[in-house]
Structure formats: structure tokens, C-alpha cells
Amino acid sequence: MIVFMTSQGSTRQPKYQRIADALRAAIQAGEYGPGDRLPGENDLMATYEVARMTARQALGVLQNEGLAEARKGAGVFVRAFTPLRRRGIQRLAREQWGSGRSVWSADSEDRELVVDQVDVREEEADGPVCAALGVPAGTQVWARSRRFVLDGKPVLFAVSYLPADIVGDSAITQADTGPGGTYARLAELGHAPVHFREEIRSRMPSAGEAERLALSLGTPVIQIVRTAFAEGGRAVEINEMTLDSASYVLEYDFDA
Amino acid sequence: MIVFMTSQGSTRQPKYQRIADALRAAIQAGEYGPGDRLPGENDLMATYEVARMTARQALGVLQNEGLAEARKGAGVFVRAFTPLRRRGIQRLAREQWGSGRSVWSADSEDRELVVDQVDVREEEADGPVCAALGVPAGTQVWARSRRFVLDGKPVLFAVSYLPADIVGDSAITQADTGPGGTYARLAELGHAPVHFREEIRSRMPSAGEAERLALSLGTPVIQIVRTAFAEGGRAVEINEMTLDSASYVLEYDFDA
DNA sequence: AAGTGGTCTAGACCACGTA
DNA sequence: ACGTGGTCTAGACCACTTT
């Protein structure tokens, strides 16, 4: 006689969840450390007497939680995390860019940082950018995009928009903006940023974002939209950044 | 003659991805608006001539991206977003809690906010909490946990820890901390917070977190760990918050 | 060459929401 | 009552990595 044991059989949880729970518990108990290989589909099929698709689903749960990572032909492995600390307020202090240092140098001490996929062009601003900059629809802006790769792992990409009428033909229109970066140049042009606003969201990446940041399954992105304001309240830059959430901890320090 | 078309057949993309791409494009083109029902498993099986599991996988992609949401017995629907704006710095200004208002009232103007699952207890602090508070291992702390439900949707839960020796038997040990909340009480006790640090991470929720916040698939959580410092630099509170990323936009305003 | 995960089929029963 | 998504089986071929 065949007993067809559905999920109701002895517990009310689906099998794949119970398998995922067991693996998750083993990871958190330290039985599998960062980088270790987990039991694969075939192991789980044997151990738990389930079909391939069910074992697969269990491993899928852990990947979607960001706990594990599959490598084709090799196995499923426990993920390791070593996030960067991004000090939101200090890194933008006038002393940073005033002294000729890059804002980014504050985030990645003694790690190899490569800037990648640089693109600088003049274009017509779209709706949301116009709204954020407070300029009429169709205004010309300079759009600067680039990607940051740390120790071989892409961690962030960013596009910043500046109204064309204030950047003129300064180094902001070049790939290399020179010492102190965009903000130092804006200061020379008489539009030094005096105030910043950062908006933070988190969501799952689109397929394109996942590829550009080499994200594994179960990794959200953090989106930061920064507006820089000059004296008088005019918005002089919008910077739209997309970060690998596994690579970053954001920090904001402020007084009551 | 049967042509067995594998993923290599005419394109190099898997079928389920092509189906997901088509649906995603239709959503972004506005063919399906927020709340609309997408074609279901049976529709996709017929339209694309695939097996149930393949149609399912395609719909799974959209859910994991946070674009769609399945309702058992009903269908798969396009998700709608209307995030709250949480002004990280202004909401903690002394005037907020100094004037007897709750810090939370700043986030949710004219929406129905319910505080839920309140639990206040004295306990021994664990490792990470001790490190963050700068107290020796095993120190007694008060742990205050609660959940916030906005218009029927849980949006956040938080646990805050305060060293037992400074809260004494003040209202901080009660479910209701009184006008101005914990920070106003700390001020009365001579430990008014003068400085805050917020650390922000994002990741996929555990199963427990997903349930407590009623998160659908493909929704990350944002974790904020706030440390409040009194005059002299002593940490007087750690607040560990877990937010539904679909319900929040964080904002930080500061000067250069 | 052997083993791994990735994709896919063609069935099945279930719990649930809606009509 | 019916259609929906949720779970599950028992096979199969593929591309990939490792040995």
C-alpha cells in the first residue's frame, strides 16, 4: 500500500520549507560557515526522499533569502558578507572635497577601487530629473555615469545630473573632474554645495541592475538619490546611486 | 514531426525568462496598472505552449522582483507602492520629543497608526547589544519591542535596549512611556540624547520577519540600528528597527 | 568522465477565494 | 462549483565545473 504523504502528512509545513529550515538552522549553528558547500540537489533527494524539483525549491529558498549562492556545475555555497561602511554625512563635509580628496576615497580605505563604465554626455533631462532639479521640462543637463568596482566586485553605479548652464565647459564635462571632484569644480564656478538631501529606498534589482552589479539571487539594491543645494537653495546636482546591499552599510551621524 | 525546442532553439534565453520579460514589459508599458490581474498560470500555458511549472517560474520571477504579488485562489496582481517618508534627522530634533510629541507622529500624518505586539521586559543584554551600548557582557537592560501598523498594514517593528541602571523605575519600564516618549523620560533622568547614529542595511527577510510584516515575495527589509548618545558620549539607547522596504523612503538632510 | 545546477515536461492533488 | 495558485512526483536533456 502506498501512503501518499502530502504536506499535511505529519506537519503542516511544505516539505521544501522544512528542508530549507533545516539547512538554515545548520548554517546559523555554524555547521556550514561562509564559503562552505551545502548539500546539493542529489544529496537532499537522497536524505529527504523527495523529487529533484522539491530539493531544488528548498535550495531556492535559501538563495532568495540571500543566505546561499549557487555556482553552476559546482554546488550551492554559503554566502560571505564584508560590507563597506559609508559615512553619509562626514564623507560630504566641505573638508573632504575642499582638500582635493575624492568623496569616494572616504569609503574604501586600502582596498583596490576601480572606476568603470564611465560615460559623460549632455542630454535633455527627463521628467523626474527636471522635477528634482527644479528646472523646466526639456532643460539641457550633463549626465555623468560610472561604476565602482572594489577588489573585483562591482558595488555601486551612479548617474549624476547637473544643469548645463552652470557647468559651462568646466572639467565637470570631462571624464576626470580633477582634484576634489565635481563639488570642488562647482565651488570654483560659484555654486558650492552647502546642503545635501539623501533619499534612500530598497528594492529587488531589475535584470539589468543585477547583471551590472553581478548580484546573486536574493540580493536587494539600495537606491540613494542625493540632491546638492547651493547657497540660496538652488539644486545644482542630482546623484542617483544604485548599491549592492550586500556590500554596504550606510551610516548617518547627527545631533539632536 | 516534433521539434523539441530547448532554450537554445531560437534564442539563448530560457523560456520562463522570455515570458517574464514580456509580462514585465507589458507592466512597464502600462498595459497592466497597479492592482491589475496578470495572466495566470493557465493563460500562460495556453499562450506560450509551456508546462505549468514553466509558467509558474515566469510568474515567480516577477514576484521575486517585487513587481507582482500572488493571491491564493485569486490570481497574480501588479503591486502598488505608496511609501511613507521618514525624515531621519528632523524627526529626532529635540523640539519633537521636547514638546511632548511622539517621534513617530512625524512619519505618518493623517493616517491610522496602530501600535501592536508591545512587550517590555528586563533582561541580560547579548553580545552585539553590549558592544553597541559599550557595557560589559551580561549587563541588565530593558528591552522594549513593538510593531507599527499603518492603515492595517504592518510597516515596521522595533526593539530598543536601554541600560537598566539609568532607566530606574521610570515610565520607560511601562508600555506607555508618556508624552514625548522614551527620549523625554531620558532627559528627565539627566540622560538627554544629544547625538544619534543610524546604521542602515538592507537584506531579504527571514521567514519570521516576512510573516510579522506581512511581506509579499520579493520585498526586502531595511534595517536601521540607531544609537542615542548622551552628553559625554555615553550610549543610552540602541534601537533596532526592521522596516518593510515597500512602505518607506528614508530621508536625511544635512549641511556640507 | 563524472557530478553539479539550470531548464523543462506532463501529469497530480490540495487549499483557497470568488462567484 | 469552479478556477486560482501552491506543492509534488518522476522522469529528461543541457551547460558547466571539477577531477
Side-chain angles (χ1 to χ4, degrees):
Chain A
M1 181 203 176
I2 296 178
V3 177
F4 205 81
M5 173 144 39
T6 67
S7 9
Q8 307 303 343
S10 51
T11 72
R12 74 182 67 264
Q13 275 210 91
K15 284 190 191 180
Y16 76 91
Q17 273 293 356
R18 294 195 65 81
I19 300 175
D21 289 348
L23 290 172
R24 194 188 304 108
I27 292 171
Q28 270 144 14
E31 282 180 58
Y32 304 99
D36 286 359
R37 179 171 185 272
L38 291 172
E41 296 176 0
N42 297 327
D43 300 315
L44 297 179
M45 285 166 72
T47 316
Y48 293 95
E49 294 177 314
V50 293
R52 161 157 265 107
M53 284 304 291
T54 307
R56 233 181 123 54
Q57 212 175 347
L59 290 168
V61 169
L62 298 183
Q63 294 174 56
N64 282 318
E65 286 176 352
L67 291 177
E69 183 173 27
R71 293 206 281 273
K72 241 187 303 192
V76 181
F77 300 82
V78 179
R79 284 183 61 179
F81 295 91
T82 48
L84 285 174
R85 182 169 292 263
R86 177 191 187 272
R87 295 193 170 78
I89 297 180
Q90 296 94 316
R91 69 199 288 283
L92 289 173
R94 181 175 256 112
E95 305 90 62
Q96 276 287 323
W97 41 273
S99 69
R101 263 185 300 169
S102 150
V103 164
W104 305 99
S105 65
D107 300 339
S108 58
E109 300 143 15
D110 55 67
R111 297 233 247 162
E112 194 211 23
L113 181 69
V114 175
V115 183
D116 210 11
Q117 303 184 358
V118 179
D119 181 74
V120 184
R121 60 155 57 106
E122 195 176 1
E123 62 183 31
E124 221 173 72
D126 66 7
V129 168
C130 285
L133 282 174
V135 296
T139 301
Q140 288 294 114
V141 295
W142 280 88
R144 304 181 42 85
S145 27
R146 62 274 191 205
R147 186 176 75 155
F148 291 82
V149 182
L150 192 71
D151 290 339
K153 166 73 180 75
V155 294
L156 168 156
F157 64 82
V159 189
S160 71
Y161 301 93
L162 300 104
D165 64 318
I166 69 173
V167 306
D169 58 357
S170 69
I172 293 174
T173 66
Q174 307 299 314
D176 183 354
T177 51
T182 299
Y183 293 154
R185 297 296 85 70
L186 278 174
E188 293 163 6
L189 291 161
H191 298 285
V194 295
H195 187 80
F196 297 101
R197 166 154 57 233
E198 298 197 334
E199 281 184 2
I200 302 170
R201 290 173 178 77
S202 173
R203 54 174 171 75
M204 293 312 282
S206 71
E209 291 170 330
E211 195 188 0
R212 207 162 169 200
L213 292 176
L215 301 177
S216 49
L217 269 185
T219 310
V221 292
I222 298 174
Q223 191 178 308
I224 306 180
V225 179
R226 175 170 67 230
T227 312
F229 298 93
E231 202 73 58
R234 173 167 187 191
V236 291
E237 188 221 17
I238 306 291
N239 195 343
E240 216 175 290
M241 294 163 268
T242 307
L243 332 198
D244 171 9
S245 67
S247 299
Y248 273 103
V249 179
L250 314 185
E251 183 183 306
Y252 292 89
D253 257 280
F254 52 96
D255 293 325
Chain B
M1 180 199 177
I2 295 179
V3 177
F4 205 80
M5 171 141 45
T6 68
S7 4
Q8 306 303 347
S10 51
T11 74
R12 74 182 68 266
Q13 273 211 93
K15 283 190 192 180
Y16 76 91
Q17 273 294 358
R18 292 195 66 80
I19 300 175
D21 289 348
L23 289 172
R24 194 187 304 107
I27 292 170
Q28 271 145 13
E31 282 180 56
Y32 303 99
D36 285 0
R37 179 171 185 274
L38 292 172
E41 296 177 359
N42 297 326
D43 300 315
L44 296 180
M45 286 167 70
T47 317
Y48 293 95
E49 293 176 317
V50 293
R52 162 156 264 107
M53 286 302 292
T54 306
R56 232 181 124 53
Q57 211 175 346
L59 290 168
V61 169
L62 299 182
Q63 293 174 57
N64 283 317
E65 286 176 354
L67 290 177
E69 183 172 29
R71 292 207 282 273
K72 240 188 303 193
V76 181
F77 300 82
V78 179
R79 284 183 62 180
F81 295 91
T82 47
L84 284 174
R85 181 168 293 262
R86 177 190 186 271
R87 297 192 169 79
I89 296 180
Q90 296 95 318
R91 67 199 288 283
L92 289 172
R94 182 176 255 112
E95 305 90 63
Q96 276 288 323
W97 42 275
S99 67
R101 263 185 299 168
S102 150
V103 164
W104 306 99
S105 65
D107 301 340
S108 57
E109 300 144 15
D110 57 66
R111 296 233 247 161
E112 192 211 24
L113 181 69
V114 174
V115 183
D116 211 11
Q117 304 184 356
V118 179
D119 180 74
V120 183
R121 59 155 58 106
E122 196 176 1
E123 64 184 29
E124 225 174 67
D126 65 7
V129 169
C130 285
L133 281 174
V135 297
T139 301
Q140 288 294 115
V141 295
W142 281 87
R144 304 180 42 85
S145 27
R146 62 274 190 208
R147 185 175 75 156
F148 291 82
V149 182
L150 192 72
D151 290 339
K153 167 74 181 71
V155 293
L156 167 157
F157 65 83
V159 190
S160 71
Y161 301 93
L162 302 104
D165 64 317
I166 69 173
V167 306
D169 58 356
S170 69
I172 293 175
T173 67
Q174 308 299 315
D176 182 355
T177 52
T182 299
Y183 293 152
R185 298 295 84 70
L186 278 173
E188 293 163 5
L189 292 161
H191 299 283
V194 297
H195 188 79
F196 297 100
R197 166 153 58 230
E198 298 197 332
E199 279 183 5
I200 302 170
R201 289 174 179 76
S202 173
R203 54 174 172 73
M204 293 312 282
S206 70
E209 291 170 330
E211 194 188 0
R212 207 161 169 202
L213 291 176
L215 300 177
S216 48
L217 269 183
T219 311
V221 292
I222 297 173
Q223 191 177 306
I224 305 180
V225 179
R226 176 170 65 229
T227 312
F229 298 93
E231 202 74 56
R234 175 169 186 190
V236 291
E237 188 220 18
I238 306 290
N239 195 342
E240 214 175 291
M241 293 163 268
T242 306
L243 331 200
D244 170 10
S245 67
S247 299
Y248 273 102
V249 179
L250 314 185
E251 182 182 307
Y252 292 89
D253 257 280
F254 52 95
D255 292 327

